[in-house]
Amino acid sequence: MWKWKNSKNASDPCFNFGIVCTFVCLSLLFVEYMDSRLPIPLTQEDSKLNPSSFIEERARDDLHQLTSYGPRYVGSFENENITIELLMRKLQSIINNKAETQNIMVDLQRTSGSHMYPQVGTFQAYSEISNIIAKFEPSDPSKRSNYSVLLNCHYDTKDGSPGATDNMISCTTMLEMLRVLSRQDTVYKNTFVFLFNGAEEMGLLGAHGFIQGSRNDSKEIGHPWSKNLKCFINLEGAGSGGRPILFQTGPGNEWITRLYSSSVPYPFATVLAEEAFQRRLIPSDTDFRIFRDYSHIPGLDFAFVKNGWLYHTMWDSVQNIPGGCIQQHGSNTLALVEKFGNLDFDSLKFSDTENVVFFDLFGLFMVVYSETVGIIINVILALGSIGIILWVHVIKPKKYIVILKFVISAIVAWGSGIVTAVIIAVWLNGMGYYTPFHSYPTLLLLIYGVPAVLTNILIYSLMLRGNEEHVWAAGKLVLSIILLVGTFITRAVYLLTVIVLFGVTAWYSTRFLFKGFVKLRLITYIVVGELLPFNLLIYTTNVLNAVLVPSMARSGPGVKPDILLALSTGFILPAFAFNGLAAFLVAVKKRHLTFFLGFSVIILNSLIVFGFIGKIPYQQKAPMRISMVETERIWYNLDGVTPNRTDAGVILWPVDPNTQNYVEILSPTIVRLKEAKKFELDIETCEDLNCAIATARGFYSNMFWIKGESYFPIRNTKMEVIKKERVKKSTNWEIVLRFHGPTQTSIIMSPNFGFDLISWSTNLDSTPTQSQWNGRKAYHISHNSGKNDAPFEISLILNDVNTVERNARVMLDILFGSYFFYGEEKVSPSIRTFTDRFPLWTYVNHYRSVGDRKSVV
């Protein structure tokens, strides 16, 4: 049945096939187990025997209480009153039960300021937002150093979400840590500053306010306790449960990553996540950037990433956080804090110029080394591997043409695997089965991975005639070349380092040690050369897919998750995971390989996609996301009082890239969807000032408009020109504007032709980023307030350059947007009826807005 070609000492293909399949299946089970295991949560009863341990039960009780009253949006009563009162009460309880050796001070900060938010291209201004700050230090001043360590969480949420994992779980973790530390007699010389920040979701405002904001009654910049910080720990959430991953460190400062490596009991980290995050492959941002860029100190950024489908939804609740998640989070962070407590910062070398390579091995321990060390190792390893392979397979037998054959074969085989995966994705799309892996990221391995690997093996078998030695050498030669080049591009090549190091060492060692013992040589090679590399690669890929699949499902139209993930899976599995294993399968007869390939594509995929998943891959807790804005827009005449025209309706933005493909399924039960019309806008001539916002341009091109009726019985939004006068002996005009509205507003301004904006009000960090609108300059400010009744003022100076006489009466066009994310004004009866018709496998996030277009003349 089986036939081996071109190898005198070849093992039985059937034996090879069985060993490789068994190895792969056991590896997948091992990775799944290691990725899902969590520590046993400690209870109140355990605290009697473990008084210095983190107790999950206490933290979970806090979490229940602090999320029981729903979403906590900036400016809402829930965020600014209830949460602050509860947190202050819990902090006071901790103070009442602390040891005499410890000192805790608490401050409620109300801060105002502004900063540029580059991720969305807007200027973020804020007024009177809230931060709760606790300072923990020895009672005896003589035992204190001059240095502090910052721990940060945020307690505000997105609208509609109770925010258990994003991010109250981190705040309750910090409460429990403070509770444990304060009850011990052990003192730490370094001060700990616990920042419970109340405004992260609308642009990292709370963190910025702590570092750069100011009180209304003071000119001091930043909170006094922000002055002596030496490093920070940022705790975040982008999923629901699982293990918190260290996904950003530094910048530079290898010592802080090594400190994490040596102190935590449950390490979980990868530089691959850091690179994906900082290269914007994951559409998000955290307070890490604020502390890094404004305090210029190194830090560690942690986040829960499992079950990302629940992120920013109503299902981000305590009930969906498995037992052990909080225990691991707390035990790790507490161990880290204890290490920071007596750290001698004066003895450390602070440098942000040297990046670090870091990763954990299955949650057991960490590997950390500098990028320079990594480059040296990779260059030596790559050149050594290339040299050995060329000597054994090319130079020694004097078959120089083989090198070209190796390179071409590997490239064609890998490329064929990619093409196969993409064809499957396109085929499923054509059949109306989009992202069938949406709710089960592991299915990527079966839907795209298995056919790609089988295609890779089949092409190798055809091009290298089933020669095991040549197939292995071809794969490792090209991989070594990629390692040599890639080490100067990305730190993520550490995975290739492991594959090449163990593979090359094991291959030639087993061939020297086990001549004539073919089966023993195969088993030994797999154990020594493939066990660690294969499992590490699958472990890392498993983590990344768990992050990427849900995050891509909220990346908006224009992104093709199935194609992108087919590309990555079709390349990673054949080129990296099966780089060495493919050699043991090429001797299988081509007709058998072809049969397995056809079976995987036609039978296996049909059973999975058509049978198990079906047309709709979404579930209630892995939903399709849709965003709706019920809006009213008014254009005023030059008097600023009488309306010129109005319109009202619903703006529908398909957050999920595949939403438009499901309109036909949704339309029969949601009649109003049939009225949806896509925005047809020429951005260059767009009359709407929203087109001046860079991010809005992408949104507009993918938005739908459903015409409706205005539903604002009480308009509490207003824009006033408080002052407008020419500066004496100057061509400048001074204009002061006052805006009344809800706690979330947006202001877009565009000076008319003949006027230049030359300065802004002094409470802004700098002039907002300039954009273009119909050939004119435009500026955008997003404003958030912690007080509902607080007006926002902007003063500016316009220079009348008198270069163009066009509509000379108009000096400045303004679009004032008011957004209602909470309270009674958030939802009208009509929009509630509309959204209630959507099926359970969708999650519709909706709010209301008012847009007032006025001119200053």
Side-chain angles (χ1 to χ4, degrees):
M1 176 179 177
W2 304 96
K3 185 178 180 182
W4 184 275
K5 299 180 181 179
N6 298 335
S7 184
K8 296 179 181 178
N9 297 316
S11 57
D12 182 0
C14 187
F15 177 80
N16 287 10
F17 187 82
I19 289 294
V20 170
C21 289
T22 302
F23 167 74
V24 170
C25 291
L26 291 176
S27 294
L28 292 175
L29 291 173
F30 169 76
V31 166
E32 184 61 31
Y33 169 74
M34 297 303 287
D35 186 40
S36 60
R37 69 188 189 122
L38 292 166
I40 297 173
L42 297 182
T43 65
Q44 293 269 26
E45 194 67 27
D46 295 318
S47 65
K48 298 175 183 177
L49 298 175
N50 304 277
S52 61
S53 295
F54 184 95
I55 305 298
E56 175 173 318
E57 186 178 18
R58 288 195 299 235
R60 188 175 283 269
D61 287 344
D62 288 339
L63 186 58
H64 268 289
Q65 187 176 359
L66 286 161
T67 58
S68 61
Y69 46 90
R72 303 171 297 280
Y73 211 86
V74 174
S76 68
F77 184 79
E78 290 79 5
N79 195 67
E80 308 302 330
N81 296 83
I82 298 177
T83 303
I84 289 175
E85 181 183 343
L86 287 174
L87 284 173
M88 294 293 278
R89 192 188 306 165
K90 289 181 179 298
L91 288 168
Q92 187 59 51
S93 175
I94 291 172
I95 292 173
N96 295 340
N97 292 281
K98 71 178 181 63
E100 291 185 1
T101 55
Q102 313 294 0
N103 182 59
I104 301 175
M105 297 176 66
V106 177
D107 185 40
L108 174 58
Q109 180 193 30
R110 301 282 188 182
T111 182
S112 302
S114 58
H115 73 101
M116 189 62 205
Y117 195 36
Q119 274 68 17
V120 294
T122 61
F123 194 80
Q124 300 285 342
Y126 54 92
S127 303
E128 294 291 298
I129 61 167
S130 306
N131 288 325
I132 299 173
I133 310 153
K135 184 167 72 167
F136 175 72
E137 59 191 357
S139 296
D140 185 350
S142 66
K143 294 182 179 180
R144 302 173 190 168
S145 73
N146 292 321
Y147 302 130
S148 301
V149 176
L150 175 68
L151 290 92
N152 176 69
C153 70
H154 71 88
Y155 56 81
D156 66 310
T157 69
K158 279 289 191 182
D159 56 306
S161 175
T165 305
D166 184 24
N167 181 239
M168 190 57 83
I169 190 174
S170 297
C171 292
T172 54
T173 296
M174 284 168 49
L175 282 174
E176 174 62 12
M177 281 194 297
L178 184 57
R179 187 180 289 124
V180 172
L181 291 170
S182 65
R183 293 180 180 181
Q184 301 176 35
D185 291 324
T186 304
V187 296
Y188 299 97
K189 66 178 182 180
N190 297 320
T191 298
F192 291 104
V193 177
F194 291 77
L195 173 59
F196 302 85
N197 95 62
E200 187 267 356
E201 295 290 0
M202 292 305 291
L204 318 181
L205 308 179
H208 185 270
F210 176 68
I211 303 297
Q212 291 283 312
S214 61
R215 296 179 188 264
N216 287 343
D217 58 352
S218 172
K219 293 184 178 180
E220 183 180 8
I221 300 298
H223 193 277
W225 297 345
S226 70
K227 305 307 178 185
N228 297 315
L229 300 175
K230 299 300 289 184
C231 62
F232 68 92
I233 299 172
N234 185 53
L235 306 178
E236 255 296 354
S240 183
R243 299 180 295 155
I245 186 172
L246 171 61
F247 68 102
Q248 287 192 98
T249 68
N253 292 289
E254 183 180 340
W255 63 266
I256 197 170
T257 312
R258 289 194 177 280
L259 195 81
Y260 169 83
S261 171
S262 64
S263 61
V264 301
Y266 311 107
F268 182 36
T270 173
V271 70
L272 197 59
E274 178 175 286
E275 297 238 324
F277 194 84
Q278 294 182 354
R279 291 171 188 253
R280 305 298 301 154
L281 298 179
I282 299 173
S284 191
D285 198 7
T286 74
D287 289 325
F288 179 94
R289 180 175 63 81
I290 298 295
F291 301 130
R292 179 195 66 196
D293 295 351
Y294 288 92
S295 286
H296 307 290
I297 54 175
L300 302 170
D301 205 3
F302 299 92
F304 289 93
V305 294
K306 262 295 180 64
N307 298 320
W309 304 280
L310 308 187
Y311 175 63
H312 287 175
T313 71
M314 61 185 292
W315 296 294
D316 182 10
S317 60
V318 183
Q319 292 75 16
N320 289 313
I321 300 176
C325 295
I326 305 175
Q327 188 65 52
Q328 177 157 332
H329 196 31
S331 297
N332 276 355
T333 313
L334 181 59
L336 195 56
V337 163
E338 290 173 340
K339 202 83 168 185
F340 277 128
N342 289 315
L343 192 63
D344 183 4
F345 287 106
D346 289 326
S347 66
L348 297 173
K349 181 182 179 182
F350 284 77
S351 173
D352 60 1
T353 57
E354 178 72 270
N355 286 322
V356 183
V357 179
F358 60 91
F359 58 95
D360 75 289
L361 281 175
F362 315 113
L364 301 175
F365 62 89
M366 287 278 292
V367 176
V368 181
Y369 51 90
S370 70
E371 186 175 21
T372 299
V373 169
I375 290 173
I376 294 171
I377 292 173
N378 291 339
V379 169
I380 294 174
L381 176 62
L383 291 176
S385 299
I386 292 169
I388 292 172
I389 292 170
L390 292 181
W391 171 257
V392 173
H393 300 280
V394 179
I395 299 174
K396 190 176 179 181
K398 297 182 179 180
K399 296 180 179 179
Y400 299 103
I401 193 67
V402 169
I403 184 174
L404 187 61
K405 188 176 182 180
F406 283 177
V407 172
I408 293 175
S409 297
I411 292 174
V412 172
W414 297 351
S416 299
I418 295 172
V419 170
T420 299
V422 172
I423 288 174
I424 291 172
V426 173
W427 169 57
L428 291 175
N429 273 352
M431 296 284 289
Y433 292 83
Y434 308 96
T435 57
F437 49 81
H438 173 83
S439 300
Y440 307 96
T442 306
L443 290 180
L444 285 165
L445 302 180
L446 293 175
I447 296 173
Y448 303 133
V450 171
V453 168
L454 289 170
T455 302
N456 171 66
I457 295 169
L458 181 60
I459 298 301
Y460 264 140
S461 180
L462 290 168
M463 298 190 70
L464 296 177
R465 299 184 179 181
N467 190 309
E468 176 184 301
E469 300 280 343
H470 284 184
V471 170
W472 181 90
K476 285 295 184 289
L477 176 64
V478 177
L479 203 64
S480 298
I481 295 171
I482 294 174
L483 174 61
L484 182 61
V485 176
T487 192
F488 298 101
I489 300 172
T490 173
R491 289 169 288 161
V493 293
Y494 75 85
L495 289 166
L496 305 190
T497 305
V498 176
I499 295 171
V500 173
L501 175 63
F502 282 85
V504 172
T505 303
W507 184 266
Y508 293 111
S509 297
T510 54
R511 264 141 184 74
F512 177 77
L513 295 173
F514 301 109
K515 291 181 179 178
F517 299 93
V518 179
K519 293 184 178 180
L520 179 60
R521 184 176 67 191
L522 167 63
I523 295 172
T524 305
Y525 170 78
I526 288 179
V527 171
V528 177
E530 297 292 339
L531 184 63
L532 177 60
F534 184 85
N535 280 274
L536 180 60
L537 185 72
I538 297 299
Y539 175 77
T540 306
T541 303
N542 197 36
V543 171
L544 290 179
N545 284 341
V547 176
L548 289 174
V549 170
S551 65
M552 282 188 172
R554 57 178 186 268
S555 56
V559 177
K560 298 291 184 184
D562 39 11
I563 303 299
L564 292 175
L565 290 170
L567 279 168
S568 61
T569 306
F571 175 66
I572 290 172
L573 285 188
F576 298 161
F578 280 81
N579 186 272
L581 295 174
F584 302 108
L585 301 176
V586 292
V588 175
K589 286 185 177 181
K590 298 177 187 63
R591 66 172 180 268
H592 295 141
L593 290 173
T594 305
F595 169 78
F596 290 140
L597 176 59
F599 179 84
S600 68
V601 173
I602 299 172
I603 307 299
L604 183 61
N605 272 352
S606 295
L607 289 173
I608 294 172
V609 178
F610 306 145
F612 175 59
I613 302 298
K615 279 273 188 179
I616 300 172
Y618 305 98
Q619 301 177 12
Q620 187 176 25
K621 292 186 179 180
M624 171 191 287
R625 296 176 188 244
I626 300 171
S627 181
M628 287 187 186
V629 185
E630 187 179 22
T631 186
E632 178 182 36
R633 301 183 293 182
I634 303 176
W635 288 259
Y636 286 89
N637 289 315
L638 294 182
D639 62 8
V641 178
T642 57
N644 176 278
R645 62 187 175 99
T646 65
D647 70 5
V650 175
I651 296 175
L652 188 150
W653 187 60
V655 181
D656 190 292
N658 291 315
T659 303
Q660 296 180 49
N661 298 320
Y662 289 87
V663 170
E664 289 186 10
I665 296 176
L666 295 170
S667 293
T669 55
I670 310 170
V671 179
R672 287 191 69 185
L673 275 183
K674 297 178 181 178
E675 303 169 15
K677 295 182 179 180
K678 193 169 184 179
F679 274 94
E680 297 293 342
L681 292 175
D682 182 353
I683 297 300
E684 300 302 322
T685 59
C686 173
E687 293 184 3
D688 194 332
L689 258 173
N690 272 320
C691 293
I693 308 174
T695 51
R697 299 180 184 185
F699 292 158
Y700 266 133
S701 61
N702 294 291
M703 283 181 176
F704 292 84
W705 172 258
I706 303 174
K707 191 171 180 58
E709 297 180 358
S710 173
Y711 182 79
F712 281 90
I714 300 175
R715 287 291 302 270
N716 60 354
T717 64
K718 183 171 63 173
M719 186 197 82
E720 300 175 282
V721 180
I722 301 301
K723 180 179 181 181
K724 187 195 71 172
E725 63 181 36
R726 186 183 288 274
V727 180
K728 292 182 179 180
K729 298 180 181 180
S730 169
T731 59
N732 295 338
W733 287 84
E734 181 182 3
I735 301 173
V736 179
L737 305 169
R738 178 179 293 167
F739 301 90
H740 299 262
T743 53
Q744 282 73 43
T745 57
S746 172
I747 302 154
I748 305 172
M749 303 182 184
S750 178
N752 199 4
F753 293 106
F755 294 92
D756 278 342
L757 177 63
I758 60 175
S759 70
W760 286 76
S761 52
T762 56
N763 67 316
L764 299 181
D765 274 357
S766 59
T767 303
T769 300
Q770 174 185 307
S771 59
Q772 291 294 317
W773 174 67
N774 284 345
R776 293 159 53 177
K777 296 175 182 177
Y779 306 88
H780 178 221
I781 296 174
S782 175
H783 181 253
N784 287 266
S785 175
K787 287 186 175 181
N788 229 332
D789 57 350
F792 176 53
E793 290 189 3
I794 298 178
S795 61
L796 54 149
I797 302 295
L798 284 181
N799 181 28
D800 186 355
V801 295
N802 291 317
T803 56
V804 178
E805 293 293 333
R806 173 183 152 179
N807 198 10
R809 293 183 62 200
V810 176
M811 303 170 66
L812 185 71
D813 284 314
I814 303 169
L815 176 61
F816 177 41
S818 301
Y819 304 97
F820 301 86
F821 291 104
Y822 59 88
E824 294 181 359
E825 292 179 306
K826 177 185 175 180
V827 183
S828 71
S830 61
I831 196 70
R832 188 183 297 278
T833 302
F834 183 27
T835 56
D836 284 348
R837 291 184 176 276
F838 279 79
L840 293 177
W841 49 267
T842 62
Y843 180 77
V844 182
N845 177 49
H846 53 84
Y847 59 93
R848 301 172 70 194
S849 72
V850 176
D852 292 331
R853 169 72 179 276
K854 295 187 177 183
S855 301
V856 178
V857 296

